[in-house]
């Protein structure tokens, strides 16, 4: 069976979303354009890591360009997308590995999410050494985003991950499972 690549170049939407109640939620990445929708399942930690890494890559690209690029410093408010996932919600695959890069020549962020396979689970520690075959590897979602759309995705994804956490009784910020250093309670750690 050959590999399926779900490719979106500047999609109408690229969002992270959830189904279910906090504590029991399933997380998805979803790309849609011209009536076509692709949804892939992933872990909450993968959503958070992807969003944080997108911010880092965009900040670095902005720094290297000396501010002379189409990447906004913050997510444009008029582009924020808080709508629910598009329906029908049909999972194409569960995400195993992800990669992203800034394409300087096209001024866009390329996000790749590859399907989890038995090989992915066994060789995750060796991921940096793995070269993926374009014709025979695991299924993949590949999305090319403008700098603005990437900022919007990252901002919304981080908010989504934080939304399932209980708020701190002192500052109302979401509590982090590893501990929360509250800015209003003089170093109170919960």
């Amino acid at each position: 069976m050959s590999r399926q690549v779900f490719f979106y170049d500047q999609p109408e939407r690229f969002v992270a979303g959830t189904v279910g109640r906090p504590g029991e939620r399933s997380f998805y990445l979803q790309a849609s354009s011209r009536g076509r929708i692709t949804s892939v399942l992933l872990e909450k930690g993968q959503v958070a890591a992807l969003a944080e890494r997108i911010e880092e890559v965009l900040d670095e690209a902005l720094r290297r360009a000396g501010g002379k690029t189409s990447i906004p410093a913050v997510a444009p408010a008029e582009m924020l997308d808080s709508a629910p996932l598009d329906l029908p919600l049909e999972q194409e695959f569960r995400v195993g590995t992800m990669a992203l890069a800034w394409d300087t020549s096209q001024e866009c962020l390329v996000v790749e999410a590859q399907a989890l396979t038995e090989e992915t689970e066994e060789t995750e520690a060796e991921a940096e050494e793995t070269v993926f075959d374009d014709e025979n590897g695991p299924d993949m979602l590949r999305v090319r985003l403008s700098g603005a759309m990437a900022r919007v995705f990252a901002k919304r994804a981080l908010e989504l991950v934080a939304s399932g956490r209980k708020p701190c009784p002192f500052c109302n910020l979401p509590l982090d499972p590893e501990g929360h250093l509250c800015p209003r309670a003089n170093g109170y750690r919960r």
Side-chain angles (χ1 to χ4, degrees), residues 10-157:
Q10 307 301 326
E12 293 164 9
R13 276 187 96 196
F14 181 63
V15 296
T18 61
V19 173
R21 299 183 322 200
E24 300 172 5
R25 298 186 295 177
S26 296
F27 287 77
Y28 291 88
L29 290 181
Q30 188 177 74
S32 59
S33 188
R34 298 184 187 119
R36 186 173 70 121
I37 302 169
T38 302
S39 304
V40 296
L41 182 69
L42 69 169
E43 299 295 324
K44 178 180 179 177
Q46 289 174 300
V47 173
L50 177 61
E52 290 166 3
R53 187 68 183 123
I54 285 173
E55 289 286 356
E56 291 170 5
V57 168
L58 294 175
D59 289 345
E60 179 62 17
L62 186 59
R63 185 191 66 74
R64 286 184 179 191
K68 296 179 179 162
T69 183
S70 62
I71 303 169
V74 296
E78 68 276 5
M79 290 181 67
L80 290 176
D81 182 351
S82 58
L85 294 169
D86 290 326
L87 298 176
L89 184 61
E90 297 173 359
Q91 170 190 324
E92 297 297 337
F93 58 83
R94 176 180 285 276
V95 175
T97 59
M98 293 183 292
L100 58 113
W102 179 254
D103 181 339
T104 306
S105 65
Q106 299 293 313
E107 289 220 350
C108 67
L109 184 76
V110 180
V111 179
E112 292 184 352
Q114 293 188 345
L116 179 68
T117 63
E118 289 179 23
E119 293 170 6
T120 305
E121 290 174 328
E122 293 170 7
T123 62
E124 204 164 50
E126 302 165 8
E128 292 180 16
E129 298 172 19
T130 305
V131 176
F132 294 101
D133 181 341
D134 271 347
E135 292 182 23
N136 296 314
D139 289 350
M140 175 192 299
L141 171 63
R142 180 180 291 148
V143 182
R144 294 167 47 93
L145 304 169
S146 68
M149 193 168 198
R151 284 277 190 215
V152 167
F153 170 85
K155 178 178 176 41
R156 181 67 184 119

